[in-house]
């Protein structure tokens, strides 16, 4: 079964690069910078790769990965760091979901999501 997902952004400790999907270049610069800082700090703390991905309903998911045999990747730290990001950046993440649902998926804004 094919999953219909849209990558918002990601970072990799292996390539030491940050990626922002061109589809989201209209986001305010401050938000783009905050996403970059959040992803890069994650990879510096935990290692591996992180991606922020919208599922087909518009929910923002964190996906992480590491290269096979990467002994420096902290799997437990990854789970804890993601929970911390979800808690500390809840407003940003919810706003990004709303932006995606309204401007990308074309859903009507009801005001209930805020």
């Amino acid at each position: 079964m094919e999953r219909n997902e849209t990558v918002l952004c990601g970072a990799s400790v292996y390539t030491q690069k940050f990626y922002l999907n061109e589809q989201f270049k209209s986001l305010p610069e401050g938000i783009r910078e905050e996403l970059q800082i959040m992803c890069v700090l994650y990879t510096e703390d935990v290692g591996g790769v992180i991606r922020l991905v919208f599922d087909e309903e518009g929910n923002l998911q964190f996906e992480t990965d590491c290269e096979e045999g990467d002994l420096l990747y902290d799997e437990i730290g990854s789970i804890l760091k993601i929970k911390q990001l979800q808690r500390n950046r809840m407003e940003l993440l919810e706003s990004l979901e709303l932006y995606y649902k309204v401007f990308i998926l074309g859903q009507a804004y009801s005001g209930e999501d805020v």
Side-chain angles (χ1 to χ4, degrees), residues 80-93:
L80 296 173
K81 187 72 171 177
I82 288 172
K83 287 184 185 290
Q84 178 188 28
L85 290 171
Q86 289 171 327
R87 187 175 50 252
N88 294 344
R89 305 279 193 220
M90 184 181 354
E91 187 176 323
L92 170 67
L93 300 173

Side-chain angles (χ1 to χ4, degrees), residues 25-88:
K25 66 183 177 188
S26 64
L27 287 172
E29 184 176 345
I31 291 176
R32 293 191 314 261
E33 289 174 356
E34 194 168 344
L35 288 169
Q36 182 174 4
I37 290 167
M38 187 171 71
C39 289
V40 170
L41 286 178
Y42 169 90
T43 59
E44 291 295 317
D45 289 347
V46 177
V49 176
I50 186 168
R51 288 175 300 281
L52 277 69
V53 178
F54 291 104
D55 65 18
E56 42 192 47
E57 286 86 35
N59 301 309
L60 189 56
Q61 308 291 322
F62 286 78
E63 294 182 354
T64 62
D65 199 359
C66 69
E67 290 182 354
E68 188 174 333
D70 183 353
L71 300 177
L72 298 176
Y73 180 72
D74 183 0
E75 193 169 337
I76 294 171
S78 171
I79 295 166
L80 296 173
K81 187 72 171 177
I82 288 172
K83 287 184 185 290
Q84 178 188 28
L85 290 171
Q86 289 171 327
R87 187 175 50 252
N88 294 344

Side-chain angles (χ1 to χ4, degrees), residues 91-102:
E91 187 176 323
L92 170 67
L93 300 173
E94 288 174 349
S95 297
L96 287 166
E97 284 183 349
L98 180 60
Y99 172 89
Y100 184 78
K101 289 174 182 177
V102 172

